[in-house]
């Protein structure tokens, strides 16, 4: 069986209201050399992109796992 080559080990899904907590988690993951997609780490790469298309590719195709930070704020988001 062929192993897929993912750009990211983990992508983080969260509500903006939970950013402080998720930022702390993202920093620990990066320190542990986990390839993590966290929007604040890739701000420059996101400039000028159609985010609906680009983020769909990252979440669906370019990441091995998605970690969701479920909260009341997350539940209330449209996405």
């Amino acid at each position: 069986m062929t192993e897929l080559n993912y750009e990211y080990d983990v992508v983080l899904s969260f509500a903006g209201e939970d950013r402080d907590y998720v930022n702390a988690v993202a920093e620990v993951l990066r320190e542990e050399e986990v390839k993590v997609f966290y929007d604040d780490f890739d701000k420059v790469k996101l400039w000028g992109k159609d985010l609906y298309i680009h983020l769909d590719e990252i979440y669906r195709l370019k990441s091995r796992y998605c970690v969701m930070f479920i909260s009341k704020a997350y539940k209330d988001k449209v996405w």
Side-chain angles (χ1 to χ4, degrees):
M1 196 182 290
T2 306
E3 184 170 329
L4 299 174
N5 290 324
Y6 293 99
E7 187 172 340
Y8 302 99
D9 297 317
V10 176
V11 61
L12 306 178
S13 180
F14 61 97
E17 293 86 343
D18 302 319
R19 182 170 294 280
D20 289 342
Y21 178 78
V22 175
N23 184 69
V25 173
E27 290 289 351
V28 169
L29 290 170
R30 185 162 64 174
E31 288 170 11
E32 294 296 322
E33 299 183 5
V34 174
K35 294 183 292 184
V36 58
F37 176 80
Y38 171 59
D39 60 346
D40 272 1
F41 293 168
D42 287 329
K43 283 182 181 179
V44 172
K45 289 182 184 178
L46 298 176
W47 288 349
K49 300 264 176 140
D50 181 328
L51 292 179
Y52 286 105
I53 293 170
H54 186 68
L55 294 176
D56 174 62
E57 288 176 359
I58 290 173
Y59 280 75
R60 231 175 14 93
L61 305 172
K62 295 183 177 181
S63 300
R64 183 178 302 271
Y65 300 106
C66 177
V67 175
M68 297 169 54
F69 293 84
I70 307 297
S71 66
K72 180 174 180 348
Y74 190 94
K75 178 188 82 63
D76 292 340
K77 297 296 178 180
V78 174
W79 72 75

